[in-house]
């Protein structure tokens, strides 16, 4: 297990194991490293699924003595997994759980300046921005009009860099239209300004770079309305007429941490629709972990725990334990953990699939992968040089993968429909 590699944490167990807890602690006596914490989390989940409230409480009690929101990375990660398990249990056994996990999650609205700092903290988002922008710049060479359909969760933070580069294009900048959905998945980060304000700021920046710019909206129902109506509404608007597509513009479709939020029954439908728009290129970037709709609770705990330690561990390298910036960033990961572990069915909106499975899905639908060029690889490497030495990049066939200490974290892929004709 990857958790066994993270054994720098050695938390003494200062309790006498109750009878029912003996199995859960077998092999972990003396200390709790990442592998033992994972084992306890799995025992707790198993107890909850088998309605063994007593054992679940006992395991939670041990985890509660290990977890610390201000401890080392394993302890901080454990505190969020424990919170998620308690949240799950409290909905089934509302009077049985009595643990103090702090105040309820309250997400703060960020200013644009704070969002910039958030995105720059670790290369989790910037890796995808950099790889995508470089591939887009190459594919639109020679076009005087560019239209990007942007499906992302970071409020167009990707585009100032591309606008800046387009403004310096030797043959002159193209006109640029970016179309975004009017609503986004209800996940962090949250911004305190409207999409219209974001568009206005982007337009002002583009004007300073002599780039003719327009931000358009795809009007769709709110995700909080009737189940799946948001996706149905969005998919119905992805057509040539509603999108105002033009034959003389290069169409680019950009999906950054987006497809995971589509219900399983809508993922293939979305991809088939955008394939029919005949884009010049489709970029898909997401986190390289398997937490899809069919994953069992045990699989989600194992995969999530062995994956989400990456941002916790990377933040440890340069931010103090009490850093408010670090605590807020980790809270956003905690928001994700609570959804992954605490909810089922339509309430669970985090449905990640790893890069390999995404590639299989794309091939089955009728897409061909496109390799990132040498210039893209160079730019990503230069970006990573700005961050801690633990960050790296590897190439897996046509996929670029961001790594932390050798472990996959985020993948970037580029695609065209089979038989694409320019």
């Amino acid at each position: 297990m990857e958790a066994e590699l993270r054994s720098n944490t050695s938390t003494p167990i200062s309790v006498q194991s109750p009878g029912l807890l003996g199995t859960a602690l077998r092999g972990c006596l003396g200390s709790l490293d990442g592998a033992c914490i994972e084992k306890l989390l799995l025992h707790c989940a198993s107890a909850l699924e088998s309605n063994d409230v007593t054992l679940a409480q006992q395991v939670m009690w041990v985890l509660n003595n290990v977890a610390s929101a201000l401890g080392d990375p394993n302890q901080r990660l454990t505190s969020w997994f424990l919170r998620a398990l308690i949240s799950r249990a409290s909905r089934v056994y509302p009077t049985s759980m009595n643990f103090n996990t702090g105040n309820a999650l309250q997400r703060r609205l960020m200013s644009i300046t704070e969002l910039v700092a958030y995105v720059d903290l670790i290369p989790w988002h910037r890796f995808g921005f950099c790889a995508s922008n470089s591939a887009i710049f190459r594919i639109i060479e020679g076009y005087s009009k560019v239209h990007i359909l942007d499906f992302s969760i970071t409020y167009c933070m990707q585009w100032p860099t591309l606008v800046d580069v387009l403004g310096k294009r030797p043959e002159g900048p193209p006109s640029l239209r970016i179309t975004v959905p009017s609503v986004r998945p209800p996940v962090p980060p949250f911004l305190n300004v409207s999409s219209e304000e974001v568009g206005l700021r982007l337009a002002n920046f583009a004007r300073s770079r002599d780039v003719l710019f327009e931000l358009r909206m795809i009007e769709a129902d709110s995700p909080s309305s009737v189940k799946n109506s948001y996706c149905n509404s969005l998919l119905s608007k992805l057509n040539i007429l509603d999108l105002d597509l033009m034959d003389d513009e290069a169409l680019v479709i950009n999906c950054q941490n987006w497809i995971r939020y589509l219900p399983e029954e809508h993922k293939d439908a979305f991809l088939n629709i955008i394939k029919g728009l005949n884009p010049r290129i489709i970029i898909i970037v997401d986190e390289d972990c398997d937490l899809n709709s069919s994953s069992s609770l045990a699989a989600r705990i194992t995969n999530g725990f062995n994956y989400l330690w990456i941002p916790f561990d990377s933040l440890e390298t340069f931010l103090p334990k009490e850093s408010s910036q670090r605590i807020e960033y980790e809270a956003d990961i905690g928001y994700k953990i609570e959804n992954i572990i605490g909810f089922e069915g339509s309430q669970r909106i985090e449905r990640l699939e790893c890069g390999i499975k995404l590639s299989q899905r794309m091939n089955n639908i009728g897409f061909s992968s496109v390799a990132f060029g040498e210039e893209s690889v160079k730019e990503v490497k230069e970006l990573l040089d700005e961050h801690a030495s633990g960050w790296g990049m590897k190439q897996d066939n046509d996929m670029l993968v961001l790594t932390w200490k050798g472990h996959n974290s985020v993948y970037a892929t580029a695609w065209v429909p089979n038989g694409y004709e320019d």
Side-chain angles (χ1 to χ4, degrees), residues 6-11 31-34 37 72-75:
R6 310 197 308 277
S7 57
N8 58 316
T9 302
S10 183
T11 306
S31 67
L32 286 181
D33 60 15
I37 292 171
D72 60 41
N74 276 345
Q75 291 173 312

Side-chain angles (χ1 to χ4, degrees), residues 116-323:
V116 171
Y118 177 96
V119 168
D120 287 348
L121 196 59
I122 59 176
W124 207 262
H125 294 288
R126 291 183 69 202
F127 164 79
F129 294 174
C130 182
S132 302
N133 285 347
S134 180
I136 292 169
F137 184 78
R138 182 181 58 151
I139 208 73
I140 64 173
E141 184 178 357
Y143 278 86
S144 60
K145 296 180 180 179
V146 178
H147 188 175
I148 299 175
L149 300 187
D150 181 30
F151 303 95
S152 66
I153 62 171
T154 49
Y155 307 95
C156 294
M157 290 298 300
Q158 175 176 347
W159 304 123
T161 302
L162 179 64
V163 168
D164 187 57
V165 174
L166 290 176
K168 301 172 183 175
R169 204 169 68 163
E171 66 270 35
S175 65
L176 176 62
R177 289 198 298 160
I178 296 179
T179 299
V180 300
S182 60
V183 291
R184 63 189 288 281
V187 295
F190 297 115
L191 196 60
N192 66 358
V193 300
S194 67
S195 297
E196 289 76 12
E197 173 66 18
V198 171
L200 180 61
R201 295 192 183 207
L202 262 177
N204 289 336
F205 179 77
R207 189 177 302 112
S208 73
R209 299 300 189 270
D210 295 323
V211 176
L212 184 62
F213 175 85
E214 178 188 2
L215 182 72
R216 303 176 71 251
M217 300 287 176
I218 307 172
E219 296 296 335
D221 295 335
S222 168
S224 60
S225 58
V226 180
K227 179 184 176 183
N228 289 340
S229 67
Y230 163 67
C231 288
N232 290 328
S233 174
L234 175 63
L235 267 56
S236 71
K237 302 294 178 62
L238 300 182
N239 59 74
I240 293 174
L241 183 62
D242 284 332
L243 295 172
D244 191 25
L245 301 186
M246 302 177 185
D247 291 338
D248 61 345
E249 63 184 7
L251 177 64
V252 171
I253 297 176
N254 183 67
C255 300
Q256 301 270 338
N257 301 296
W258 177 271
I259 292 179
R260 79 173 90 151
Y261 296 114
L262 295 174
E264 189 63 33
E265 62 270 24
H266 286 90
K267 289 181 179 178
D268 285 358
F270 172 79
L271 293 170
N272 272 306
I273 288 172
I274 62 175
K275 182 179 72 170
L277 298 177
N278 202 33
R280 287 283 291 141
I281 196 169
I282 299 168
I283 307 289
I284 298 179
V285 176
D286 219 322
E287 298 173 2
D288 199 10
C289 183
D290 193 11
L291 298 167
N292 63 24
S293 298
S294 61
S295 299
S296 67
L297 177 60
R300 297 195 313 263
I301 287 176
T302 296
N303 293 343
F305 189 75
N306 284 305
Y307 173 72
L308 290 170
W309 71 274
I310 294 174
F312 281 83
D313 191 58
S314 64
L315 292 170
E316 173 83 356
T317 62
F318 67 98
L319 287 178
K321 297 185 185 303
E322 298 81 10
S323 162

